[in-house]
Amino acid sequence: MNKVILMGRLTRDPDVRYSQGENTTAVARFTLAVDRRFVRRDGNGEQTADFIGCVAFGKTAEFVERYFRQGMRMTICGRIQTGSYTNRDGQKVYTTDVVVEEVEFAESKNASGNGGVDNSEFRPSAAPMPSAAADGFMNIPDGVDEELPFN
């Protein structure tokens, strides 16, 4: 199984190009800065990050181009793809990218503070979201018990 799930911030605006030919396809390339779980051992306590190259195609690429900007937090699902090519100097270069299959907003417009897009704009249902109670759990409206898959 080859499945990758990442959450990180865009290091810069996505670079989107369109393929040539009869069926043009959008190709978006971007880098995600993904925080590591642990801090460095050098004592200064700075958070470290991995910078992971990603590529999206078609409608996913167009979505990334339209709604994501540098510094925005996003969650992606995809797969790792490796490859190689020979550069102009005749040296073989090896590549590793995450091919993005799904993209989600990982924070609201207000939380990003840089003109991001609020997740609520993209909810398929017009029904209001239940509000969270003081204990952090959402209140379930009366009469919904029959719809839950567990009792």
Side-chain angles (χ1 to χ4, degrees):
M1 177 184 292
N2 183 355
K3 182 145 182 135
V4 176
I5 301 172
L6 299 171
M7 181 188 300
R9 292 193 182 275
L10 283 169
T11 59
R12 62 176 184 242
D13 289 353
D15 177 29
V16 180
R17 298 180 185 190
Y18 290 84
S19 64
Q20 301 293 320
E22 198 173 301
N23 297 325
T24 60
T25 302
V27 179
R29 291 193 171 276
F30 54 91
T31 302
L32 275 185
V34 179
D35 288 336
R36 290 187 180 168
R37 215 174 182 151
F38 304 102
V39 295
R40 288 187 195 175
R41 294 179 186 254
D42 64 3
N44 64 7
E46 288 183 23
Q47 182 75 34
T48 57
D50 292 304
F51 297 88
I52 300 171
C54 303
V55 61
F57 298 96
K59 296 288 184 188
T60 305
E62 292 171 2
F63 181 78
V64 168
E65 176 184 31
R66 184 171 180 187
Y67 294 109
F68 289 93
R69 298 287 173 259
Q70 178 180 353
M72 291 181 68
R73 184 180 298 232
M74 66 191 313
T75 302
I76 63 166
C77 293
R79 61 185 165 81
I80 292 180
Q81 180 173 298
T82 60
S84 65
Y85 64 92
T86 304
N87 67 12
R88 294 179 184 158
D89 299 331
Q91 297 173 328
K92 194 160 193 169
V93 177
Y94 295 93
T95 62
T96 302
D97 290 311
V98 174
V99 177
V100 178
E101 297 165 352
E102 299 174 40
V103 177
E104 293 184 19
F105 296 99
E107 67 186 352
S108 69
K109 179 179 179 180
N110 295 337
S112 68
N114 64 356
V117 178
D118 187 356
N119 294 340
S120 63
E121 295 177 27
F122 297 97
R123 289 187 48 240
S125 166
M129 286 285 283
S131 60
D135 60 2
F137 292 95
M138 290 187 175
N139 295 322
I140 299 176
D142 293 334
V144 179
D145 294 335
E146 297 81 35
E147 297 176 24
L148 296 176
F150 49 87
N151 284 325

